[in-house]
Amino acid sequence: MAELRRFKQVDVFTPTPLMGNPLAVILDADGLSGGQMLAVARWTNLSETTFVLPPSTAGADYHVRIFSPAGELPFAGHPTLGTAHAMLESGFKPKSADRLIQECGVGLVPLDLSHSGWLAFQAPPARIHTVNESYFPLLNAAVGGATTVTWSPPVVVDMGIRWLVARADGALSCLLMKPDTGALERLLTRCEADGLAVYGLHQPGGPADYEVRAFVVERGALVEDPVTGSANACLARLLHAQGFPDNPAFAESWRVRQGTALGRDGQVRVRFIDGDPWIAGQSITVIDGTFRL
């Protein structure tokens, strides 16, 4: 017999409804099978849907399973922030007043609750793999001919989810890109990556420090993600490993704009604490009710 389960649809990385990245959150997921969760994710047809369960690890506040329409993910950034927002809004009390610990496929992910209106997650550790130079022509074809920097070859950053990270000549080049679906799918297959994240530096005084776009291919179709926490976390780990080549001040913090090409206005803040990046954003609930499942 179907049950009514608490449900929220949250817009993440924005304080303004419809301008960020939507996330569906099932707050009472205990008893659901993995197959049922996948069916819900395919039905919502959002980039991710999360399912909140009791924690199974000491120290965790709750356990989250994250599903895209294609399957389960060990970690993703905007679901981490959006689920925390939904839980706190629903009255959930974490064990610590200013810190929340999420349990997910990559382990325990801390979230900082101390900045009013903003939540931030600590980026999980990442492994960085340089891309074989023979793939560079395919990369240029995949991004529609946009030029990537020569001094910093593209890399795959593995954070449970694997992003191929490449740099455009600047924010405008990033925004003008028109990816080729076939070339991108071949590139991601060869690089064993889940998606392509491209970033470009804004001019001083611009709307942000970096412009970011993120692309995946799902069932043969090109999908641009509006605002991507994991891609920004991977970029932060990469720039830290490179020694912040654009600006030494970025060792402390920077701002990202994402979703511009989709008519969104995603705002991401990156802050470093003791050498670890924290990815921050605002969230707002757009739909609040129950899910019959």
Side-chain angles (χ1 to χ4, degrees), residues 137-145 177-185 187 196:
L138 185 55
L139 171 63
N140 282 321
V143 298
M177 282 192 320
K178 296 181 180 179
D180 179 274
T181 305
L184 178 58
E185 186 168 30
L187 175 68
L196 171 67

Side-chain angles (χ1 to χ4, degrees), residues 102-124:
Q102 171 187 285
E103 177 186 356
C104 60
V106 297
L108 300 181
V109 178
L111 288 103
D112 180 10
L113 314 180
S114 64
H115 294 78
S116 179
W118 292 75
L119 300 177
F121 68 85
Q122 183 179 21

Side-chain angles (χ1 to χ4, degrees), residues 209-230:
D209 296 305
Y210 288 109
E211 189 77 31
V212 169
R213 296 179 73 183
F215 305 96
V216 298
V217 179
E218 294 181 351
R219 289 168 282 186
L222 177 71
V223 177
E224 179 168 357
D225 200 47
V227 203
T228 319
S230 61

Side-chain angles (χ1 to χ4, degrees), residues 27 62 83-94 100 113 119:
L27 294 164
Y62 52 76
T83 302
H85 165 85
M87 289 292 287
L88 294 169
E89 188 180 66
S90 72
F92 178 79
K93 302 296 183 184
L100 187 153
L113 314 180
L119 300 177

Side-chain angles (χ1 to χ4, degrees), residues 23-30 37 48-57 60-67 72-87 92 100-109 111:
L23 171 76
V25 184
I26 304 295
L27 294 164
D28 305 305
D30 205 15
M37 294 179 186
E48 281 96 18
T49 299
T50 62
F51 302 84
V52 182
L53 300 161
S56 61
T57 302
D61 286 291
Y62 52 76
H63 180 198
V64 174
R65 293 184 69 178
I66 305 168
F67 282 79
E72 187 167 9
L73 301 172
F75 171 76
H78 103 275
T80 295
L81 293 183
T83 302
H85 165 85
M87 289 292 287
F92 178 79
L100 187 153
I101 305 297
Q102 171 187 285
E103 177 186 356
C104 60
V106 297
L108 300 181
V109 178
L111 288 103

